[in-house]
Amino acid sequence: MPKRSPRQRRSRRPLEDIQPRTPSPPAQTVGTGTGTPGAGTVRWRVHVGGRVHSAPYVTDGTGTVYVTGRGVWAVDTADGSVRWTNADAGLRGSPTAAGDTVYASGHAAYGGTLLALDAADGRPRWHRRMKRYSFTQPLVANGLLHYVNGSRYLRTVDAATGRRRWRAKYQRRGWGTESAPALADGTLYAAGKDGTVWAFDPATGKVRWKQRIIGRSPATPLPHDGTLYVGDGLGPYIQALDGTTGAFRWRTKLDSLGSIRTTPAISGNTLYVGCQDHRLWALNATTGAIRWHVTTDGPIDSSPVVADGTVYFGSDDGHLWAISAENGRVRWKVRTGGPVMSPVVADGVLYVGSRDGFLYAIDTR
């Protein structure tokens, strides 16, 4: 690639000389089904060039799943064939898509980038250079893209052009893992590494409230039905805040010495949260009372997802687990070659990445 002048490096114009390319090793689709259709059957798996550290993203109606391996990969949901790859986009955070554009963090000399890619072929439409990397998923809504990185700021840009709309200082510099922003009911939420949860007007960046919780480096919060649920990233506390005021509704300390580094999931009146103590916990979503837990053979760095009465989550023991949402009984599990990341479910198929370098498609019915 030819060298650019400092002025060119600061440009927000598309990277016209960067071409999507296939990372090494080349993609390989491998059928691993048991031959018996049904829940837990692996439809296909595809190697995405490197370890997967985050959840994939499935688009509605296009039959495409996007995942970050070594770069960003666009994969056909039907058979696992690779549509395109872009090795300049993608670090460890999930990509996201809106309309005909895919958004992902990337890497550059002495810093990171934020990129908008054409969903048809992965070519860059625009990019923004950043002094720090981002390992989280961008959030797109109402023509705006919200994202965070290792800096002190939550940033919002125009999703079509990448031009800045506003930024807000919401955390101090220092050690810790940043969490992705969340949006619900016209409010944008962000959790700082110091343990402060913020609520912003998504259009202007005006602060609506902030609340200090127990712990540091909290995981990405879950907004649901007027309540914000957030886990303590370095401890065993889970707390529920009023989504409008930030006031505490309840906080629960798990009977554990582990840390909660994942986003909870909710179904009905039950909250599900994974913990580093090898257990997935179920709590009463109204009171925070513990209902039950299920134990795996490794720490849980996967955010759970609930569909059709089943909770799906990955464990560092190398398994994708499917358990009853009612009582935690194990229904089935699928073994991979490494720790399993956060899954997504769409149209009866579960998509999940593993640190063995594969993206898996697994039947849920």
Side-chain angles (χ1 to χ4, degrees), residues 284-298:
N284 184 302
T286 302
T287 66
I290 296 172
R291 290 182 167 170
W292 48 260
H293 65 261
V294 62
T295 303
T296 72
D297 294 321

Side-chain angles (χ1 to χ4, degrees), residues 55-300:
Y57 186 92
V58 181
T59 58
D60 295 328
T62 66
T64 306
V65 54
Y66 302 98
V67 65
T68 299
R70 186 178 177 185
V72 170
W73 295 62
V75 178
D76 190 299
T77 57
D79 58 10
S81 58
V82 177
R83 293 182 170 176
W84 54 260
T85 70
N86 188 313
D88 295 299
L91 285 170
R92 295 178 66 172
S94 303
T96 191
D100 59 357
T101 306
V102 179
Y103 302 92
S105 58
H107 48 86
Y110 311 110
T113 58
L114 179 68
L115 298 104
L117 310 176
D118 190 307
D121 56 18
R123 295 177 183 274
R125 290 182 165 174
W126 56 257
H127 81 291
R128 287 185 63 94
R129 291 190 180 272
M130 301 180 291
K131 292 182 179 180
R132 294 176 180 267
Y133 295 114
S134 176
F135 298 116
T136 66
Q137 182 180 37
L139 172 64
V140 182
N142 301 317
L144 299 176
L145 185 148
H146 312 281
Y147 73 100
V148 300
N149 57 15
S151 74
R152 296 173 291 176
Y153 296 97
L154 167 66
R155 291 177 166 87
T156 293
V157 301
D158 186 288
T161 65
R163 295 187 179 279
R164 182 197 292 180
R165 288 291 189 88
W166 57 263
R167 71 175 187 175
K169 187 185 295 185
Y170 80 110
Q171 66 180 357
R172 299 176 182 176
R173 288 177 179 168
W175 182 88
T177 302
E178 67 267 16
S179 64
L183 180 69
D185 302 322
T187 300
L188 182 68
Y189 301 99
K193 291 183 287 187
D194 63 352
T196 302
V197 178
W198 298 73
F200 298 95
D201 182 310
T204 65
K206 182 179 179 181
V207 177
R208 291 179 173 168
W209 55 259
K210 62 179 180 178
Q211 178 66 268
R212 183 73 168 84
I213 65 171
I214 294 176
R216 295 176 60 86
S217 294
T220 299
L222 170 71
H224 178 79
D225 198 20
T227 301
L228 191 71
Y229 302 94
V230 59
D232 172 9
L234 297 180
Y237 285 91
I238 180 78
Q239 39 244 316
L241 309 178
D242 185 290
T244 302
T245 66
F248 280 98
R249 291 189 168 172
W250 54 260
R251 68 181 107 185
T252 295
K253 182 181 180 181
L254 303 181
D255 184 17
S256 168
L257 297 177
S259 299
I260 300 172
R261 300 180 183 177
T262 62
T263 301
I266 193 167
S267 179
N269 195 39
T270 303
L271 189 74
Y272 306 92
V273 59
C275 186
Q276 289 282 298
D277 66 356
H278 300 200
R279 290 181 281 186
L280 183 99
W281 297 77
L283 295 81
N284 184 302
T286 302
T287 66
I290 296 172
R291 290 182 167 170
W292 48 260
H293 65 261
V294 62
T295 303
T296 72
D297 294 321
I300 298 176

Side-chain angles (χ1 to χ4, degrees), residues 11-25:
S11 173
R12 296 174 185 168
R13 291 177 296 177
L15 301 179
E16 296 177 353
D17 56 336
I18 291 182
Q19 302 296 325
R21 59 182 183 269
T22 302
S24 179

